Amino acid sequence: MSNATHDDETLGELDALYLRRAIALSAEARRRGNRPFGAVIADAHGRVLAEASNRNGESGDCTAHAEVNALRLAGPLHGREVLAGATMYASGEPCVMCAGAIFWSGIRRVVFGIDAVSLRRFRGAVGRQQDLELSCRQVFEASPQRFVVHGPCLLEEAAAPHEGAWET
Ligand SMILES: [Zn+2]
């Protein structure tokens, strides 16, 4: 995974800290019966604005992805100027819905753990577990604003909570 190595090198100390927190949240989500995804939003000064995990299983809400849940917490509390300087840390590469939500939030920097292609190895061949084969970068490239995206990062750590999590 040469990409992972490359992007790991671009991570700052706080980036690694918050991505690891998002990964820890992904493991927590799994323990509570959800798909293993977590997200942390931090502002330009490294202050955490929100953190959340996937709640699909608990809530029955198919939109309850970690990134969307974190945005729903951060949005009402912080202005768009704050979010414009913020970073979304996601344990897994944001899906098309979450990439769209990140676009609408004004957040323009994303750091993610396991990439969508690697995730598909865990999702297996079960139809309802298949995702839309569009990377978050393709969504962001369609934006009139410039995004900075780092990922996959800490791939092995980010993949660990997915081991055996997609068999049902
Ligand atoms: Zn999503």
Side-chain angles (χ1 to χ4, degrees), residues 96 99-100 103-104 108 134-147 149:
V96 172
F103 167 77
W104 288 117
R108 294 294 177 258
L134 198 62
S135 80
C136 73
R137 283 186 171 88
Q138 288 171 280
V139 175
F140 296 141
E141 278 162 15
S143 160
Q145 286 103 37
R146 186 175 162 268
F147 278 76
V149 182

Side-chain angles (χ1 to χ4, degrees), residues 31-112:
R31 282 194 291 277
R32 294 202 307 267
N34 307 286
R35 294 305 185 195
F37 295 101
V40 173
I41 300 171
D43 71 10
H45 309 290
R47 192 169 55 111
V48 173
L49 303 180
E51 58 174 43
S53 52
N54 180 293
R55 298 193 72 248
N56 280 5
E58 284 174 282
S59 68
D61 176 359
C62 68
T63 70
H65 288 192
E67 302 94 313
V68 167
N69 293 342
L71 286 170
R72 285 185 174 138
L73 291 171
L77 297 174
H78 304 284
R80 289 189 64 81
E81 340 50 73
V82 173
L83 290 178
T87 298
M88 170 70 78
Y89 298 91
S91 66
E93 181 173 350
C95 73
V96 172
M97 175 185 72
C98 290
I102 291 165
F103 167 77
W104 288 117
S105 75
I107 292 175
R108 294 294 177 258
R109 184 169 184 266
V110 176
V111 176
F112 68 82

Side-chain angles (χ1 to χ4, degrees), residues 112-126:
F112 68 82
I114 185 171
D115 57 286
V117 173
S118 298
L119 264 175
R120 281 179 206 125
R121 288 204 303 269
F122 293 103
R123 291 176 187 271
V126 181

